[in-house]
C-alpha cells in the first residue's frame, strides 16, 4: 500500500464537500432560533472540521443570539416551508437508509455513497487495478507499447477460459499444490491462468560463469528465481509455444484464442512447456555441485 | 572569458600567424609528346572483371555481408479456403459453464410488445434460435456465447417498435422505420428483436444481414436483360443464398402458402396452387435465382390472395446501400446502389412504393462503425427526427454538392426510431441477469449499477457489456 494514501487522507476529510451545510454557520438569523432544538446535530456536524489545523473563529452559539425585533413574524406558508427545511436532514437520512448506509454515521453524512474505508484496497490504486499475475502477464502480451490492446486480448483470453469445458487433468503433470478442482477452474478464469502459469514456472535458472570450468568453458550454476521472475519465464515459454501454433483463422480473436488454447494445454499436461521446465530442473540438479567451486563461493 | 579560438578564422592564438603559404597541387611533369595537362585527362577506368589480372590475388578490405535467411518452420497444412473467415464469423450461442437463470421466461408472441415487460429479460426459444441463425441475425461481436441461453432485454424502444409493427398489421399498412443510434447501442439487436417478434407472430421474414455484401463488389453481378435507362443489375449468387435462408427460416409458413399464378418462365414450371416452398426449391443453382426470387416476391405481394401473412423486410448497415456501389457498368461508370435489383426492391419498399397486401414492416438499421458518411441520409434522418419531435427542421446546405437526390427520395417519409442509452432501471435488471449467470462476480447494488452505467458511456448497452463482461477484472 503506497503510503501517500494515508498521508493525504486527513486533507481529504477536511476538503470533503457537504451537501447540507452545518446549520449554525449557514442558516439565516431567523432560522438560528429554530436551530436551538437541533443543537446535538450541530455538534456532530462541527466534528468534521476538527481535522482542520487552523481553528476558525468561535462559532456563534445559537443560544446566545439576542431576540431581535427586526425579525418579522413568520407567515403560515413560510412556517410550512420552515418545517420542510427542518425535515431536510431527516429526508436525507431516509435516503441514506435506502442506499444501505447508516444514517447516523458521522462519516457518511454529506456523501452519497459514504467515504471509502481506509486504507484503500489495492485495486483502487491505478497501478494495482488488476490481479498481480494478470497485470504482469498482460504487459508480456503487449506489442509495440499498445497496452490497451493487450488488455483487450487478455479479456478475450479470460472469456475463452470461462467458456471452455473443465480441463481433463493429466496425473503425470500435477498442477501446483493447492489448485482448485478442475470443474471450478472455468468459473474463475483468473485462477485458471494463475494455476497454469505457476504450475510450469521453473524454480531455477542456469547461470554461466565464463571460463571457470577450465579451458575457457562456462561453469554452469543454478540460481534461484523470485516469484515474479518465475512467472515471467513460464509465460515467455507459453508465448513461444503460441508462436509455433498454427493460426487457423483471422480477426481480433485469433491471437487470444491461440494463447488461451495453449493455457488449456498446459493445465491438461499436453503442452511442451512442461518438458522445458523439466529440462531446466534436470540441468539445475546436475550442476548444483558447481556451487561448491571456490570461486563461485567467493562470488556468491 | 575570452574565446580560445579566433572567431573569424578559427585559428588558435598559440599558433603563430605567419604568412599564409598557398598550397598548390603537386605538379607533375607532363609527357613530352602530349600537349594536355595530366589533370585534364580522363580518369582511367577500373578494370572490368574479365580484364583483371588473375595472377594477383585481391583481398577485400571488409567482410562479405551475408544475409541469413529466416528459417521457416513447417506448420503443416494451411487453413482451407473459407476456413479463416468461418472462424471469424463463428457464432456460439451457449456457454455450459454459465449458470442457468431460472427466472428468465421464454419469449412469447406478445412478450416484446407488452409495456409491462420493459426492463425484463426474455430468452429465445430453440426454434426461434434456428430461424434467427438462418437469417444471420446473430453477430459474432455480440456476447451470446457467454450465457447459458441466448436472452435479450426488453427495452422501451423494443416495445415502441413492436407496437408500430402491430399497428401496421392492424391497419394493413407498411411501417417504414429506420433505426438510428450511437455505436453499439443495440440497433442490430433491435432488428433481431423485430425478427423474433415477426417469427413468433407468424410473419414472413426476409432479412438482409449485411448491406455491405451487396455493394462492395464481393458478389457476382450481371445486367438484367431488357432493362434500360437505368440498366438494372442482378446478383444471382447472393439471391440464391438469400432464397436458401428464407426457405430455412420460414419453412413452416411457406409450406402452407399456395401460389396464385403460374410461373412458366422458371426452369421448373410452377402452376397455380402449389406451395411456395416448391417455388423456392426451383432455384437449385445461381443461374435462375433472381427470376425465382422475383416470382416469390410477386407471390407474397399478390393482391388476389386473401390471406397472405404480414411481411417483415429488414436490412442491417443501411448507409452501405445509399451510395454508388463498387460495381461498374459496361461503360465503366460506377453503378448506383439503387440500380442493383435487390437493393432496389428494398429501397422501393422503404420509400413506400411497394404496398404489402396484408401489412408488414420495412426496418433498416444504420451502422456507425464502418459505415460510410452519407450526408443526404444523415440530413434526412435528422429532419425526420426533428419533424417527429415537432422541432425546427434543419435545412439543406445550399453550398454543399455532396447530396444525393435518390437517397433523399427514399427517405422522404420514413419514420426514425432512435435506439438510445438505457436507463438505470433497465441496466440493473440486465446486470442482475449477468450476475445470476455467474459472469458478473459482484453484488448488484445501486453503486455497482451506477458504476457500470457510467463506465458504459451513460447507459450505452454495448459499452456496458465491455465494461462488465469483456474486462480483466472478472
Amino acid at each position: 500500500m503506497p503510503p501517500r494514501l494515508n498521508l493525504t487522507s486527513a486533507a481529504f476529510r477536511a476538503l470533503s464537500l457537504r451537501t447540507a451545510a452545518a446549520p449554525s454557520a449557514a442558516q439565516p438569523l431567523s432560522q438560528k432560533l429554530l436551530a436551538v432544538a437541533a443543537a446535538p446535530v450541530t455538534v456532530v456536524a462541527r466534528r468534521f472540521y476538527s481535522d482542520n489545523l487552523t481553528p476558525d473563529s468561535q462559532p456563534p452559539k445559537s443560544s446566545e443570539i439576542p431576540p431581535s425585533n427586526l425579525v418579522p413574524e413568520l407567515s403560515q406558508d413560510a412556517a410550512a416551508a420552515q418545517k420542510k427545511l427542518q425535515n431536510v436532514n431527516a429526508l436525507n437520512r431516509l435516503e441514506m437508509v435506502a442506499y444501505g448506509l447508516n444514517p447516523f454515521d458521522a462519516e457518511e453524512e454529506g456523501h452519497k455513497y459514504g467515504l471509502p474505508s481506509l486504507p484503500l484496497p489495492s485495486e483502487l490504486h491505478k497501478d494495482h487495478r488488476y490481479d498481480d499475475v494478470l497485470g504482469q502477464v498482460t504487459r508480456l502480451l503487449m506489442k509495440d507499447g499498445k497496452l490497451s490492446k493487450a488488455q483487450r486480448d487478455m479479456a478475450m483470453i479470460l472469456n475463452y477460459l470461462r467458456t471452455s469445458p473443465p480441463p481433463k487433468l493429466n496425473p503425470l503433470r500435477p498442477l501446483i499444490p493447492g489448485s482448485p478442482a478442475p470443474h471450478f477452474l472455468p468459473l474463475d478464469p483468473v485462477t485458471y491462468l494463475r494455476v497454469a502459469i505457476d504450475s510450469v514456472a521453473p524454480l531455477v535458472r542456469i547461470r554461466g560463469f565464463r571460463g571457470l570450468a577450465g579451458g575457457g568453458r562456462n561453469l554452469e550454476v543454478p540460481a534461484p528465481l523470485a516469484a515474479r521472475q518465475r512467472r515471467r519465464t513460464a509465460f515467455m515459454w507459453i508465448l513461444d509455444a503460441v508462436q509455433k501454433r498454427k493460426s487457423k483463422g483471422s480477426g481480433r480473436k485469433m491471437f487470444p484464442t491461440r494463447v488461451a488454447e495453449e493455457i488449456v494445454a498446459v493445465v491438461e499436461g499436453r503442452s511442451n512447456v512442461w518438458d522445458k521446465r523439466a529440462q531446466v530442473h534436470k540441468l539445475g540438479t546436475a550442476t548444483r555441485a558447481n556451487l561448491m567451486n571456490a570461486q563461485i563461493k567467493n562470488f556468491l | 572569458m575570452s574565446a580560445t579560438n579566433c572567431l573569424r578564422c578559427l585559428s588558435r592564438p598559440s599558433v603563430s600567424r605567419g604568412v599564409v603559404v598557398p598550397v598548390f597541387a603537386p605538379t607533375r611533369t607532363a609527357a613530352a609528346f602530349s600537349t594536355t595537362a595530366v589533370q585534364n585527362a580522363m580518369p582511367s577506368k577500373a578494370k572490368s572483371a574479365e580484364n583483371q589480372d588473375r595472377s594477383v590475388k585481391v583481398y577485400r578490405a571488409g567482410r562479405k555481408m551475408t544475409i541469413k535467411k529466416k528459417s521457416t518452420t513447417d506448420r503443416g497444412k494451411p487453413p482451407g479456403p473459407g476456413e479463416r473467415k468461418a472462424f471469424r464469423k463463428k457464432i456460439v450461442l451457449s456457454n455450459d459453464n454459465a449458470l442457468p437463470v431460472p427466472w428468465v421466461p421464454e419469449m412469447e408472441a406478445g412478450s416484446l410488445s407488452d409495456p409491462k415487460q420493459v426492463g425484463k429479460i426474455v430468452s429465445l426459444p430453440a426454434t426461434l434460435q434456428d430461424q434467427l441463425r438462418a437469417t444471420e441475425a446473430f453477430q459474432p461481436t455480440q456476447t451470446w456465447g457467454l450465457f447459458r441461453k441466448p436472452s435479450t432485454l426488453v427495452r422501451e424502444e423494443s416495445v415502441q417498435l413492436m407496437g408500430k409493427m402491430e399497428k401496421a398489421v392492424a391497419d394493413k399498412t407498411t411501417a417504414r422505420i429506420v433505426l438510428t443510434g450511437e455505436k453499439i447501442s443495440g440497433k442490430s439487436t433491435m432488428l433481431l428483436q423485430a425478427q423474433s417478434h415477426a417469427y413468433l407472430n407468424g410473419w414472413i421474414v426476409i432479412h438482409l444481414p449485411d448491406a455491405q455484401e451487396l455493394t462492395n463488389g464481393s458478389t457476382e453481378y450481371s445486367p438484367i436483360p431488357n432493362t434500360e435507362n437505368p440498366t438494372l443489375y442482378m446478383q444471382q449468387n447472393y439471391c440464391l443464398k438469400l432464397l436458401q435462408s428464407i426457405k430455412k427460416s420460414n419453412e413452416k409458413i411457406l409450406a402452407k402458402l399456395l401460389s396464385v399464378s403460374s410461373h412458366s418462365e422458371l426452369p421448373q414450371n410452377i402452376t397455380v396452387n402449389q406451395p411456395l416452398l416448391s417455388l423456392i426449391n426451383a432455384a437449385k443453382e445461381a443461374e435462375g435465382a433472381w427470376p425465382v426470387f422475383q416470382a416469390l416476391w410477386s407471390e407474397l405481394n399478390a393482391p388476389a390472395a386473401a390471406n397472405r401473412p404480414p411481411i417483415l423486410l429488414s436490412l442491417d448497415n443501411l448507409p452501405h446501400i445509399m451510395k454508388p456501389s463498387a460495381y461498374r457498368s459496361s461503360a465503366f461508370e460506377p453503378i448506383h446502389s439503387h440500380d442493383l435489383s435487390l437493393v432496389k426492391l428494398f429501397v422501393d419498399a422503404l420509400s413506400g412504393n411497394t404496398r404489402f397486401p396484408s401489412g408488414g414492416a420495412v426496418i433498416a438499421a444504420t451502422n456507425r462503425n464502418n459505415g460510410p458518411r452519407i450526408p443526404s441520409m444523415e440530413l434526412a434522418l435528422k429532419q425526420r427526427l426533428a419533424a417527429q419531435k415537432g422541432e425546427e427542421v434543419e435545412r439543406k446546405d445550399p453550398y454543399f454538392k455532396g447530396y444525393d437526390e435518390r437517397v433523399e427520395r427514399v427517405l422522404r417519409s420514413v419514420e426514425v426510431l432512435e435506439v438510445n442509452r438505457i436507463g438505470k432501471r433497465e441496466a440493473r435488471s440486465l446486470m442482475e441477469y449477468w450476475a445470476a449467470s455467474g459472469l458478473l462476480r459482484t453484488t448488484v447494488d445501486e453503486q455497482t449499477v451506477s458504476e457500470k452505467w457510467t463506465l458504459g458511456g451513460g447507459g450505452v448497452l454495448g459499452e456496458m457489456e465491455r465494461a462488465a463482461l469483456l474486462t480483466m477484472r472478472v
Side-chain angles (χ1 to χ4, degrees):
Chain A
M1 176 52 57
R4 66 175 185 78
L5 286 175
N6 291 331
L7 284 175
T8 48
S9 61
F12 281 141
R13 276 196 203 180
L15 286 174
S16 61
L17 288 175
R18 306 183 59 85
T19 48
S24 62
Q27 278 170 351
L29 200 62
S30 63
Q31 290 175 14
K32 280 182 182 167
L33 288 172
L34 292 162
V36 180
V41 178
T42 317
V43 170
V44 170
R46 290 301 308 168
R47 222 194 70 193
F48 278 101
Y49 296 107
S50 62
D51 286 342
N52 283 343
L53 293 175
T54 49
D56 56 358
S57 58
Q58 199 68 26
K61 280 179 191 166
S62 44
S63 54
E64 286 171 7
I65 295 164
S68 164
N69 295 333
L70 294 173
V71 181
E73 283 292 309
L74 289 173
S75 67
Q76 279 291 347
D77 290 357
Q82 197 67 64
K83 264 197 172 166
K84 207 173 181 184
L85 249 176
Q86 262 184 304
N87 285 335
V88 162
N89 274 345
L91 288 173
N92 282 346
R93 286 195 180 133
L94 277 177
E95 205 178 340
M96 285 165 75
V97 172
Y99 289 134
L101 305 171
N102 177 14
F104 297 105
D105 189 356
E107 296 278 309
E108 309 288 8
E109 204 185 337
H111 304 275
K112 193 167 183 186
Y113 296 116
L115 290 171
S117 56
L118 296 174
L120 290 171
S122 69
E123 70 260 23
L124 285 188
H125 190 275
K126 71 172 176 57
D127 291 342
H128 309 283
R129 200 174 283 170
Y130 307 110
D131 179 90
D132 55 347
V133 177
L134 216 56
Q136 184 190 6
V137 159
T138 308
R139 281 174 163 75
L140 294 177
L141 272 186
M142 177 166 63
K143 263 187 198 170
D144 304 335
K146 293 177 184 169
L147 181 59
S148 192
K149 164 112 181 27
Q151 283 171 336
R152 201 169 168 158
D153 283 348
M154 183 47 78
M156 284 183 197
I157 291 171
L158 295 181
N159 274 358
Y160 181 97
L161 293 179
R162 63 175 163 177
T163 51
S164 62
K168 293 178 194 91
L169 302 188
N170 182 356
L172 296 177
R173 310 276 202 205
L175 296 179
I176 194 164
S179 58
H183 66 268
F184 180 75
L185 287 175
L187 303 179
D188 190 356
V190 179
T191 310
Y192 201 147
L193 186 74
R194 245 188 131 100
V195 163
I197 291 171
D198 284 354
S199 301
V200 287
L203 289 165
V204 289
R205 75 186 167 106
I206 309 297
R207 279 182 79 175
F209 286 86
R210 190 163 290 172
L212 284 194
R217 280 180 298 140
N218 275 359
L219 185 68
E220 287 173 338
V221 174
L225 291 174
R228 224 177 129 79
Q229 291 173 306
R230 296 178 56 200
R231 286 186 186 129
R232 181 179 182 280
T233 320
F235 198 72
M236 293 315 275
W237 286 345
I238 289 176
L239 283 184
D240 286 346
V242 167
Q243 283 294 320
K244 281 176 196 147
R245 253 175 198 273
K246 205 174 68 179
S247 173
K248 292 190 299 291
S250 54
R252 58 185 160 193
K253 273 189 190 167
M254 193 59 241
F255 175 64
T257 307
R258 270 156 66 205
V259 178
E261 277 171 354
E262 188 61 36
I263 284 162
V264 174
V266 165
V267 172
E268 292 189 343
R270 291 182 278 113
S271 176
N272 284 339
V273 174
W274 286 98
D275 297 336
K276 275 194 183 175
R277 178 178 188 260
Q279 213 177 342
V280 168
H281 282 190
K282 212 172 171 181
L283 199 58
T285 12
T287 55
R288 66 186 163 187
N290 292 345
L291 283 166
M292 300 311 286
N293 183 306
Q295 277 168 295
I296 297 286
K297 261 185 178 174
N298 287 339
F299 186 82
L300 298 177
Chain B
M1 196 182 124
S2 64
T4 45
N5 288 2
C6 165
L7 290 174
R8 288 232 175 96
C9 61
L10 299 175
S11 64
R12 292 251 174 138
S14 58
V15 177
S16 63
R17 297 204 57 203
V19 182
V20 177
V21 181
V23 181
F24 295 106
T27 50
R28 284 205 213 168
T29 50
F33 55 83
S34 174
T35 54
T36 326
V38 174
Q39 283 89 351
N40 292 348
M42 292 283 283
S44 64
K45 273 185 186 173
K47 279 180 184 173
S48 66
E50 285 173 19
N51 299 342
Q52 240 172 13
D53 192 358
R54 298 271 170 184
S55 61
V56 182
K57 212 171 186 184
V58 179
Y59 291 98
R60 291 192 183 210
R63 273 189 191 168
K64 192 179 178 183
M65 194 181 80
T66 51
I67 299 170
K68 270 187 191 172
K69 270 192 182 174
K70 268 187 187 174
S71 60
T72 48
T73 47
D74 183 31
R75 291 182 188 173
K77 197 166 66 90
E83 202 179 314
R84 286 159 62 80
K85 188 176 180 186
F87 172 82
R88 206 167 63 231
K89 298 278 176 191
K90 191 173 73 178
I91 284 160
V92 182
L93 289 184
S94 89
N95 170 15
D96 286 343
N97 296 326
L99 307 171
V101 187
W103 40 263
V104 168
E106 281 213 333
M107 192 188 279
E108 288 160 13
S111 315
L112 290 172
S113 55
D114 185 4
K116 281 180 197 161
Q117 294 277 338
V118 171
K120 291 196 176 145
I121 309 278
V122 284
S123 69
L124 309 178
T127 48
L128 181 62
Q129 282 176 36
D130 294 341
Q131 287 172 314
L132 293 172
R133 221 186 235 279
T135 54
E136 294 180 42
F138 299 109
Q139 294 194 356
T141 47
Q142 294 163 344
T143 51
W144 304 107
L146 289 179
F147 300 94
R148 178 60 77 99
K149 213 176 166 196
S151 314
T152 166
L153 172 76
V154 184
R155 299 166 61 164
E156 271 173 41
E157 288 91 345
S158 10
V159 172
Q160 281 174 27
L161 182 64
M162 305 315 150
K164 278 171 187 165
M165 285 168 70
E166 283 187 349
K167 190 167 172 289
V169 174
D171 301 349
K172 299 221 165 187
T173 54
T174 313
R176 294 173 288 117
I177 300 165
V178 175
L179 301 173
T180 60
E182 277 176 78
K183 230 189 228 180
I184 52 174
S185 61
K187 300 177 289 294
S188 296
T189 315
M190 200 57 72
L191 269 187
L192 179 138
Q193 291 188 351
Q195 285 179 60
S196 312
H197 181 79
Y199 281 127
L200 292 172
N201 286 288
W203 293 33
I204 283 199
V205 179
I206 298 176
H207 178 59
L208 305 169
D210 192 356
Q212 203 180 178
E213 288 173 6
L214 281 166
T215 59
N216 70 358
S218 57
T219 56
E220 287 173 26
Y221 73 116
S222 54
I224 300 176
N226 307 327
T227 52
E228 263 171 34
N229 230 357
T231 312
L232 296 180
Y233 296 84
M234 54 188 175
Q235 288 154 304
Q236 304 240 52
N237 281 338
Y238 191 90
C239 265
L240 182 67
K241 211 184 97 197
L242 183 63
L243 279 172
Q244 279 161 355
S245 91
I246 292 171
K247 181 189 148 193
K248 210 171 176 187
S249 53
N250 300 295
E251 203 154 16
K252 273 187 188 167
I253 305 174
L254 287 175
K256 283 181 206 157
L257 297 179
L258 302 177
S259 59
V260 289
S261 54
S262 64
H263 300 277
S264 52
E265 76 279 7
L266 299 182
Q268 191 180 335
N269 194 11
I270 303 290
T271 53
V272 183
N273 282 340
Q274 266 192 311
L276 291 186
L277 205 57
S278 59
L279 173 65
I280 292 187
N281 283 337
K284 293 268 192 294
E285 284 171 16
E287 201 91 329
W290 171 245
V292 169
F293 187 80
Q294 250 182 331
L296 177 71
W297 186 242
S298 65
E299 280 291 343
L300 289 176
N301 289 314
N307 48 357
R308 287 280 189 243
I311 300 171
L312 170 68
L313 186 59
S314 57
L315 172 135
D316 208 344
N317 304 350
L318 180 69
H320 286 283
I321 60 163
M322 292 294 173
K323 58 165 195 176
S325 70
Y327 296 108
R328 298 277 180 161
S329 68
S330 55
F332 207 65
E333 300 284 326
I335 299 170
H336 195 281
S337 296
H338 294 184
D339 291 338
L340 301 169
S341 54
L342 212 49
V343 174
K344 187 170 186 297
L345 185 137
F346 181 83
V347 161
D348 280 347
L350 188 65
S351 62
N353 293 342
T354 313
R355 213 188 134 265
F356 298 161
S358 37
V362 186
I363 306 177
T366 59
N367 73 327
R368 302 300 287 270
N369 226 357
N370 73 340
R373 260 204 76 228
I374 314 289
S376 305
M377 191 190 80
E378 282 168 18
L379 180 71
L381 296 183
K382 250 188 231 167
Q383 286 174 335
R384 296 301 96 72
L385 203 60
Q388 282 170 31
K389 286 178 184 169
E391 292 167 1
E392 197 184 344
V393 174
E394 195 180 324
R395 294 289 181 92
K396 251 182 167 179
D397 180 1
Y399 298 106
F400 182 65
K401 283 182 186 168
Y403 292 122
D404 189 345
E405 180 67 25
R406 299 180 78 170
V407 172
E408 281 161 26
R409 239 178 289 147
V410 169
L411 299 172
R412 194 157 285 162
S413 60
V414 293
E415 211 170 331
V416 179
L417 182 69
E418 257 191 317
V419 181
N420 291 319
R421 300 160 185 199
I422 56 171
K424 284 199 182 168
R425 195 174 133 244
E426 287 164 323
R428 180 165 195 145
S429 90
L430 194 64
M431 285 177 66
E432 273 167 2
Y433 171 67
W434 293 345
S437 298
L439 290 161
L440 185 72
R441 291 155 61 103
T442 50
T443 48
V444 179
D445 55 5
E446 195 82 21
Q447 193 169 353
T448 34
V449 171
S450 193
E451 181 193 318
K452 297 295 178 219
W453 186 85
T454 311
L455 280 177
V460 179
L461 214 155
E463 292 289 358
M464 275 184 67
E465 277 182 349
R466 279 186 188 169
L469 302 177
L470 190 71
T471 169
M472 283 166 58
R473 281 169 90 168
V474 175

